[in-house]
């Protein structure tokens, strides 16, 4: 790249270049323009894969079977898609989904969890990653349904069960 920092490594097993995700992340979370460039390369491919999966998961192939039991006819096909940057993707992305569910927690817990999953990152690097996204509370305001993940696992599971019943 233009800073003389390589984001590629060579895997000695197959001698093909691999992306060093940590170096790449460090570059793009410090530089908005580089992040935009990376997103312009990756997002179209990711969206294509996502749409294919939604299409195939959403197909109700059971409708072609000879069994016409009432219980089968009443089932509603629900496809869940986990998209961390849904709101950052803009209006066109959001129009693909009937119900948007955001799982949210307070900012302190968000930072703790990110650092806990990525102990090799500094707290500052974690803050940069969080700052590069729309704040989670703003996402919660834009969602149709919000699941709060600030409490116990029991509380989270209870909320998920209720949302599942409501949506399906």
């Amino acid at each position: 790249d233009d800073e003389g920092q390589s984001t590629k490594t060579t895997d000695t097993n197959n001698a093909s270049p691999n992306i060093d995700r940590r170096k790449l992340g460090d570059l793009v979370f410090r530089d908005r323009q580089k992040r935009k460039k990376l997103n312009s390369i990756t997002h179209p491919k990711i969206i294509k894969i996502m749409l294919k999966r939604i299409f195939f998961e959403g197909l109700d192939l059971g409708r072609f079977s000879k069994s016409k039991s009432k219980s089968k006819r009443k089932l509603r096909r629900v496809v869940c898609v986990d998209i961390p940057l849904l709101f950052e993707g803009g209006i066109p992305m959001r129009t693909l989904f009937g119900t948007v569910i955001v799982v949210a927690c307070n900012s302190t817990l968000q930072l703790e969890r990110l650092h806990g999953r990525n102990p090799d990152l500094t707290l500052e690097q974690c803050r940069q990653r969080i700052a590069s996204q729309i704040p989670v509370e703003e996402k919660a305001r834009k969602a149709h349904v919000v699941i709060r993940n600030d409490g116990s696992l029991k509380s989270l599971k209870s909320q998920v069960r209720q949302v599942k019943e409501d949506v399906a």
Side-chain angles (χ1 to χ4, degrees), residues 45-63:
K45 291 172 176 56
I46 292 168
I47 290 168
K48 183 179 177 182
I49 292 167
M50 178 192 68
L51 290 174
K52 249 191 225 182
R53 288 182 180 174
I54 290 170
F55 177 75
F56 286 112
E57 287 296 321
L59 285 177
D60 180 9
L61 298 177
R63 68 183 168 179

Side-chain angles (χ1 to χ4, degrees), residues 55-158:
F55 177 75
F56 286 112
E57 287 296 321
L59 285 177
D60 180 9
L61 298 177
R63 68 183 168 179
F64 298 112
S65 71
K66 293 182 182 190
S67 171
K68 297 289 184 187
S69 72
K70 285 185 180 181
S71 63
K72 278 202 169 202
R73 281 196 308 239
K74 288 189 178 192
L75 291 177
R76 182 173 163 211
R77 189 83 169 149
V78 175
V79 177
C80 296
V81 182
D82 182 6
I83 307 176
L85 300 176
L86 174 66
F87 294 103
E88 289 82 352
I91 299 288
M93 180 68 90
R94 281 182 274 168
T95 60
L96 294 173
F97 305 100
T99 303
V100 174
I101 302 169
V102 167
V103 180
C105 66
N106 68 59
S107 59
T108 302
L109 195 50
Q110 182 183 19
L111 179 61
E112 286 174 13
R113 288 177 176 168
L114 178 59
H115 192 250
R117 284 191 310 269
N118 302 278
D120 57 315
L121 295 179
T122 66
L123 283 173
E124 183 55 34
Q125 289 171 314
C126 290
R127 286 186 191 97
Q128 287 174 340
R129 282 158 172 73
I130 291 170
S132 74
Q133 299 178 14
I134 294 173
V136 72
E137 294 304 330
E138 186 177 334
K139 292 177 183 184
R141 285 191 297 275
K142 293 179 177 188
H144 298 104
V145 177
V146 178
I147 296 174
R148 295 299 316 179
N149 190 11
D150 302 282
S152 69
L153 185 58
K154 182 179 178 181
S155 171
L156 177 64
K157 286 180 177 181
S158 174

